Amino acid sequence: MAIGWRELARRAFSATLGIVVALTTAVPVSAQSAGRTRLPIVRDAEIESLIRDYSTPILRAAGLSPSRVDIVLVNDLAFNAFVAGRRIFINTGTILNSETPNETIGVIAHEVGHLAGGHQERLRDQIARAQIIAVVAGLLGAGVAAAGAASGSGSLAGVGGGLMTSGGGIAQRSLFAYQRTEEVTADRSALVYLEKTQQSPKGLLDSFEGLMRQNMLSGVTPNIYLSSHPAPQERLGRLQEAAKASPYYGKKDAPALQLRHDLARAKIAAYNGGATQVRRAFPRDQLGMASRYGDAIATHLAGSPRMALDKIDRLIAEDGANPWFQEVRGEVLMASGRSEEAAAAFSRAEKLDRSNSGLLKASVGQAIVTGGNPKRMPEAVAQIERGLQTDPNNSTAYEFLAMAYGKMGEIGAAELATAEGYWQAGNFRQAKIFAARAQGKFRPNSPQWLQAQDILTTKIARK
Ligand SMILES: [Zn+2]
């Protein structure tokens, strides 16, 4: 299931700060039968907006519609990215390990090359492919599972969910062997997209070279991205030659984009290893804006809200137009139990956010619900619903929507929202139970009755 940093941080606190906690809640039937899956999907408006801006021109250059491709962040510090279906998965470690936007963009261009080349489509009948679908279905909820059932490839259940676990080794290796033949095509496509969008191919080259160097130096288990993307000297040589022929080879990222990239890196570092990891990410620039942003978040996560507020307020004084500074301010206030002020901070963030993030819109309403003022519940409902319109896969938002309706005494609506939340989290059984309860409280064929009916009648992939 998808999860926000806030929840991730809460769980991390209960364990040790800085250790990524594997997510095991609300796993749907297909993945349950396959054992627990451990792909820590994370939702974050700032990083999603950045990666969206990186990928949109590339997707267009590839002739793909950006609105039809989902970008999924995996909170894992290993360098990795892959495509499955219409989804591009990017590890937060890929961003953290990229010193420039161009390095991450290069990796995205390569992955889009696979997507546009239909490489995943040809994998449809492979067992390994089914395995990936099972993992993805397990984590992202209804969409994939329902699609799988509709297309008749209902054998999603019963395969191991070992994409990221060591247990899935054999299937994983055969998948990678299959992919090997397509790497050269993906490289070539990546170079075309980068040239079309007037961007340098140097980042792609740097990423692969960096990975190879790292591997040779460390001598530990090869990085998963390298295993799936073998970069023998010959392939690297070919890539080098073609890249250097690009008229944009020496082109640098715009300073504003570099700053956004660094701020995202700082946040990832803070959430995965606190102040130490932040310092490690910016060894030469400990007083820069990104370092101080990471430090503010790390201070908040270390449980010092007053100091954190001080630090984030200083950043806001420097750049009042940055929506994510306001969002972090809201997070700190939430952790301090100052929900009404948090709602105001999220609301300012929402107004400044040009990416129109549904997560952020819903956050405003969620903070109002947490505040508990009964008079403000209709406003909370409206705000959360605005968020869900933009981003309907936000299962957490449905939980808060249900709470708001509950406080307003609208039990049918609360049950329906709970049903939707379970559905989005991939817990189809609970979804159907609550949909049935809700349906009895609405007039037959009313919009809510039909919404419940939809949940009750949609077939899901099962054993
Ligand atoms: Zn590849």
Side-chain angles (χ1 to χ4, degrees), residues 110-111 114 179 182-183 186-187 208 225 228-229 235:
H110 176 93
E111 293 304 322
H114 283 306
Q179 281 183 336
E182 302 178 321
E183 291 314 314
D187 280 347
F208 279 109
Y225 197 68
S228 63
H229 295 81
R235 178 181 164 214

Side-chain angles (χ1 to χ4, degrees), residues 264-286:
R265 290 179 65 220
K267 181 186 263 179
I268 292 165
Y271 271 101
N272 286 286
T276 313
Q277 188 80 34
V278 173
R279 278 194 295 274
R280 209 176 291 154
F282 303 97
R284 289 178 300 275
D285 192 13
Q286 309 264 308

Side-chain angles (χ1 to χ4, degrees), residues 1 3 7-9 11-12 14-16 18-27 36-41 74-76 139 164-165 272:
M1 76 176 268
I3 188 174
E7 178 66 7
L8 202 66
R11 294 180 195 201
S14 62
T16 311
I19 292 176
V20 177
V21 179
L23 310 177
T24 52
T25 58
V27 178
R36 298 296 189 184
T37 50
R38 289 178 189 280
L39 199 61
I41 307 290
V74 180
N75 193 39
D76 184 326
L139 291 154
M164 288 294 152
T165 60
N272 286 286

Side-chain angles (χ1 to χ4, degrees), residues 46-63:
E46 176 178 20
I47 304 170
E48 285 176 8
S49 138
L50 181 69
I51 298 299
R52 190 42 83 184
D53 286 353
Y54 288 171
S55 10
T56 295
I58 298 286
L59 287 165
R60 288 217 179 95

Side-chain angles (χ1 to χ4, degrees), residues 10 27 35-36 84-85 91 95 100 104 110 113 121 130-131 149 213 218 223 228 242 276 300 302 329 408 433:
R10 205 169 60 77
V27 178
R36 298 296 189 184
N91 275 14
I95 304 162
T100 63
T104 300
H110 176 93
E121 289 312 302
Q131 208 173 26
R213 224 181 2 256
S218 65
N223 173 282
S228 63
T276 313
H300 155 59
R329 185 169 206 278
M408 289 160 68
I433 290 171

Side-chain angles (χ1 to χ4, degrees), residues 102-126:
N102 189 242
E103 286 169 47
T104 300
I105 292 167
V107 171
I108 291 171
H110 176 93
E111 293 304 322
V112 171
H114 283 306
L115 207 64
H119 298 168
Q120 288 300 317
E121 289 312 302
R122 275 186 278 147
L123 280 171
R124 192 180 292 281
D125 297 322
Q126 304 279 317

Side-chain angles (χ1 to χ4, degrees), residues 289-307:
M289 191 174 248
S291 292
R292 286 180 291 127
Y293 182 51
D295 181 50
I297 296 170
T299 305
H300 155 59
L301 294 174
S304 311
R306 268 173 49 192
M307 263 169 68

